[in-house]
Amino acid sequence: MKHIVLTGLLSLAGIIVLAQQNDPVVMHINGHPVTRSEFEYSYNKNNSEGVIDKKSVADYVPLFVAYRLKVEAAMDARLDTTQSFQREFASYRDQQIRPAMITDADVEAAAHKIYKETQERIDSTGGMLKVAHILIQFPRNATDKAKAAVKAKADSLYGVLKKGGDFAALAREYSQDPGSAKRGGELSWIVKGQTVKPFEDAAWALKDGEISRPVESPFGWHIIKREEHQKFFDYASQRDAIYKFMKMRNINEQLINQRLDSLAKAQGTTPAKVLEAKKLELEAKDPNLKYLIAEYHDGLLLYDIANRTVWQKAQQDSVGQMQFFKKHRKQYTWTEPRFKGIAYCTRHQDDVQRVKDVLKDKSFSQWAEVLRSTFNNDSVLRIRAEKGLFKKGMNALVDKEIFGKDTTAAPVKDYPYTAVYGHEISAPEELDDVRADVIADYQNELESQWVKALRKRYKVDVDEQVLKTVNKH
């Protein structure tokens, strides 16, 4: 017995050593191993054909490490335990795993079952009919007199048909069913239960080639021609339609749920555990699937932790933005001047000067509200204005009036008087002039500081020898 156990342990040890040799660990991050294949998956995916800024393996390592450090921080913050994370991750994971619970044969069998049930129901009630009709509609809220006129017209057409009139020609000329009239009254194949009862009864009472007397329905009076009949279509002709029906009704998901429930009952476990076992089975066969699911898991955590730590702060920390702007003000320069002001047009000539007068002592940030409350506070808009920081080419009126460009601003209907107001600046005067750039740079600085702190917090060990073998084994 001891010999058997020892042999088993030695065999297991051999398997472990072989696995380590085939897929060695390229780095440890906070004590967690990252295998070469895992690193290769990430590197190759982010440096595939079509990627503009491709990185060498050496250049990619810091980016990968920073990514994994942030995930470690998210795990330490227990963001993976939140209901929102677990719900979204489970949804994505299940999208990758659930389809594997059934096979193409299972889906095909379900499609055949739907077909067979439909076939039996239709064939047992008389099969399918090909009919054409001429419809003379009742007017809306028709009086008895109006209804009688409709009946008389239908009777007249029936009389023409009895004398050998061309059904298709009469349908095209007189039928008030626009869908079928242009086809000579011809309808698609019909089955019992598909049309109103008076129409159905009359159609099935006819023989192929016969024409009915006028038949009253809630829509008006019909003259029906039965053209042919047959049993339900063959499976091959309906397969695509059945598959579309199954997709629309989520039949595949129902099949998966049934399979999970069946397996769970047979194994004395839960559907969730059956699904988890399937996931492990698929990941063992396809490491890329394992890394894809892990990538989504880590990506959700990264988004959450980065949003809390960096992105929200960069967007909302107005004090931090101002301090950053003052500290780095010299780096915000332009190669050409800007016009800081408004380009506007007015209904009345007097308002051209009034606009300038009301804005004269107001700060730039107040201009939009001042203009709205002064000139456009009721249903009639007296002015139209575009406020901003304009460079050449952004606004034709500014180009012409400020930058001296030989151009013409397109006129605005009902606003014939145009002007600009503001001043030309060669460099940003205040934070608002470059706020978007400042926020982006401030975010980058916060990101850099965060990664530095994470590197101090978590230990990172890279095996340079294994790293040299990436994509070379």
Side-chain angles (χ1 to χ4, degrees):
M1 182 65 181
K2 288 182 180 179
H3 175 73
I4 295 173
V5 172
L6 179 59
T7 301
L9 289 173
L10 289 174
S11 298
L12 179 60
I15 293 171
I16 293 172
V17 169
L18 181 61
Q20 290 173 342
Q21 289 174 345
N22 290 340
D23 193 12
V25 173
V26 72
M27 65 182 72
H28 286 84
I29 297 177
N30 192 31
H32 297 140
V34 177
T35 62
R36 182 174 61 192
S37 64
E38 182 180 357
F39 179 82
E40 286 175 339
Y41 172 85
S42 179
Y43 174 78
N44 293 333
K45 185 172 182 178
N46 289 286
N47 292 275
S48 60
E49 290 298 325
V51 174
I52 297 174
D53 185 22
K54 287 188 177 182
K55 304 290 185 185
S56 66
V57 171
D59 289 338
Y60 186 71
V61 167
L63 300 177
F64 180 84
V65 168
Y67 172 78
R68 293 299 293 265
L69 288 173
K70 294 169 189 175
V71 174
E72 289 291 332
M75 295 291 288
D76 277 357
R78 296 179 59 77
L79 298 184
D80 61 321
T81 64
T82 64
Q83 288 186 354
S84 59
F85 168 84
Q86 292 182 345
R87 184 167 53 250
E88 186 168 355
F89 174 62
S91 175
Y92 177 81
R93 178 202 62 205
D94 290 354
Q95 287 175 23
Q96 311 306 311
I97 306 302
R98 282 176 60 87
M101 296 304 305
I102 58 175
T103 65
D104 291 344
D106 294 326
V107 178
E108 185 71 7
H112 268 287
K113 184 172 183 288
I114 292 171
Y115 170 79
K116 196 67 178 174
E117 290 172 351
T118 306
Q119 180 191 42
E120 290 175 356
R121 174 175 56 81
I122 290 174
D123 288 350
S124 66
T125 56
M128 306 188 304
L129 297 187
K130 189 74 169 176
V131 299
H133 79 143
I134 297 171
L135 169 66
I136 309 301
Q137 287 184 315
F138 290 135
R140 182 173 294 181
N141 302 318
T143 62
D144 289 343
K145 184 177 180 181
K147 288 183 177 181
V150 170
K151 173 67 164 62
K153 186 173 183 180
D155 286 340
S156 175
L157 289 170
Y158 179 69
V160 174
L161 289 168
K162 289 285 286 181
K163 295 178 181 178
D166 186 306
F167 191 97
L170 290 171
R172 277 190 285 268
E173 185 173 354
Y174 295 106
S175 180
Q176 293 172 333
D177 174 7
S180 67
K182 59 188 177 184
R183 298 190 301 270
E186 189 172 288
L187 297 171
S188 301
W189 287 95
I190 62 172
V191 299
K192 283 191 175 179
Q194 188 176 348
T195 65
V196 292
K197 196 70 167 57
F199 189 102
E200 177 183 293
D201 289 344
W204 257 266
L206 296 170
K207 295 179 180 179
D208 290 355
E210 289 184 341
I211 296 174
S212 73
R213 290 180 174 277
V215 177
E216 186 180 11
S217 82
F219 304 106
W221 285 89
H222 308 259
I223 303 172
I224 305 168
K225 179 181 181 182
R226 172 166 160 167
E227 297 181 339
E228 58 179 312
H229 73 283
Q230 68 172 52
K231 293 186 176 181
F232 189 52
F233 305 111
D234 62 85
Y235 175 73
S237 68
Q238 299 301 299
R239 185 175 184 273
D240 288 348
I242 293 172
Y243 268 68
K244 288 178 182 177
F245 170 82
M246 291 174 67
K247 183 176 181 180
M248 183 175 64
R249 296 294 183 90
N250 288 322
I251 301 295
N252 287 16
E253 290 301 309
Q254 296 174 31
L255 295 175
I256 291 168
N257 289 336
Q258 292 168 7
R259 179 62 52 81
L260 287 170
D261 290 340
S262 175
L263 290 173
K265 185 176 180 180
Q267 297 170 13
T269 184
T270 64
K273 289 183 178 179
V274 172
L275 196 62
E276 178 63 23
K278 190 66 174 180
K279 172 175 145 326
L280 295 175
E281 175 192 331
L282 294 175
E283 287 178 344
K285 295 177 181 177
D286 181 10
N288 283 346
L289 176 63
K290 174 182 177 181
Y291 298 144
L292 179 66
I293 294 174
E295 180 183 37
Y296 193 82
H297 173 278
D298 293 350
L300 286 175
L301 291 176
L302 174 61
Y303 178 86
D304 200 354
I305 192 74
N307 191 44
R308 296 174 185 224
T309 308
V310 175
W311 301 337
Q312 283 186 0
K313 183 176 182 180
Q315 290 288 336
Q316 300 171 5
D317 182 11
S318 57
V319 174
Q321 293 169 13
M322 180 60 73
Q323 291 173 343
F324 186 88
F325 174 66
K326 289 179 178 179
K327 183 178 179 181
H328 302 279
R329 186 166 190 159
K330 290 183 179 180
Q331 77 183 47
Y332 296 103
T333 59
W334 299 321
T335 57
E336 58 181 20
R338 304 286 196 272
F339 173 68
K340 186 176 182 179
I342 59 167
Y344 64 103
C345 52
T346 68
R347 286 181 180 272
H348 311 294
Q349 190 171 14
D350 292 347
D351 280 341
V352 171
Q353 184 58 45
R354 289 194 184 102
V355 167
K356 299 175 182 179
D357 292 341
V358 298
L359 296 180
K360 183 170 56 178
D361 299 322
K362 302 295 189 296
S363 67
F364 189 64
S365 62
Q366 296 176 301
W367 284 15
E369 178 56 28
V370 169
L371 292 174
R372 187 200 64 77
S373 60
T374 306
F375 298 98
N376 295 337
N377 202 27
D378 55 29
S379 59
V380 179
L381 304 181
R382 289 164 57 186
I383 71 167
R384 291 188 178 277
E386 182 181 357
K387 170 179 173 281
L389 202 61
F390 302 91
K391 62 181 180 179
K392 291 178 183 177
M394 291 180 66
N395 182 284
L397 187 57
V398 172
D399 286 348
K400 179 180 179 181
E401 301 294 336
I402 301 300
F403 299 125
K405 189 175 179 181
D406 184 13
T407 186
T408 301
V412 179
K413 185 181 179 182
D414 298 330
Y415 296 84
Y417 307 102
T418 60
V420 297
Y421 181 70
H423 60 285
E424 192 174 334
I425 58 178
S426 58
E429 295 179 323
E430 57 183 333
L431 172 60
D432 280 342
D433 295 341
V434 284
R435 186 178 292 275
D437 293 334
V438 169
I439 289 175
D441 293 339
Y442 182 41
Q443 179 175 302
N444 289 337
E445 182 175 88
L446 292 174
E447 178 100 8
S448 178
Q449 292 172 351
W450 182 34
V451 172
K452 286 180 181 177
L454 292 177
R455 278 189 168 275
K456 291 180 180 179
R457 180 177 173 185
Y458 301 118
K459 186 178 181 182
V460 177
D461 290 316
V462 178
D463 190 322
E464 297 294 340
Q465 295 303 313
V466 175
L467 190 65
K468 291 177 181 178
T469 68
V470 167
N471 286 338
K472 296 178 180 178
H473 53 92

